[in-house]
Amino acid sequence: MNYDLLIDAGNTRIKWALAAPGAALGDWHAQGAHMHADAADLPPALAEAVSRLGCDPMGDTGSAVGAIGRVLIANVAGQAVRDMLAGWLAAPQLGISPQAIEWFASVPLRAGVRNAYRNPAQLGCDRFAAAIGAHALAPGKAIVVANCGTATTIDAITADGTFLGGMILPGLGLMASSLAKNTAQLPQIKPGKLPEGFANNTDDAILTGCLAAQAGAVERAFELHQAVECIISGGAAPYIAPAVPVPHRHVENIVMIGLHAVLRSA
């Protein structure tokens, strides 16, 4: 049995998942997430997951030969992270053929989604993957997908699968940290639950303002697109989603779901 390995290398974290053949979207056999500072923990975690697959007999190097048949990677973290991942995936204990590895890129058409960006290749591959994932989860619907990470991206996909474009704004953490860095007396806050009503202290006032900005951008995109549903994902989604006033659902790992949809469509 050949498993699919999906990797989403973002600006803050590297996430991975193993999917069995025929598995439903988002149904992972194993998964992990590692901050860039702790990226050295990824190879042993992945090697341990591969060793538990129980596929083909172990080779001379102790690798699960043929356990991983395809690898699809979305990397927006730069060349250094790409080189690091390439080195890790070449480890003998993983038993991955170099020909099995694909670096996902934005193209005019893939997995039922047409990329209508002015220059299709300029679209961030994570945004394209998220759009593919959202369309796969909500086929036949005009939808907005908001991926709330280091940056927040909010994109529109038509019912027939056309990626129209969208918005990019600082993520929730960046908004808060920019106030702390560029003002004399405002504190650095941590994301938290949306306060009720008007905030009566500075920390809650900052949090309320940042959450309102994020939720307002999602609402604006939803109304502009005349969408019927919004999919919200990313590390800050648990904080932002409750503030969003339009129909929505929280979906974890929308980029990897999109990568999974790509491989399922191949």
Side-chain angles (χ1 to χ4, degrees), residues 112-138:
V113 173
R114 185 176 72 86
N115 181 354
Y117 228 46
R118 181 185 301 171
N119 177 358
Q122 190 182 45
L123 174 64
C125 65
D126 55 340
R127 293 173 66 194
F128 192 41
I132 291 171
H135 182 63
L137 292 176

Side-chain angles (χ1 to χ4, degrees), residues 19-48:
L25 292 175
D27 182 12
W28 316 129
H29 178 82
Q31 63 180 314
H34 307 269
M35 303 294 288
H36 281 217
D38 302 318
D41 295 336
L42 190 154
L46 182 56
E48 181 182 355

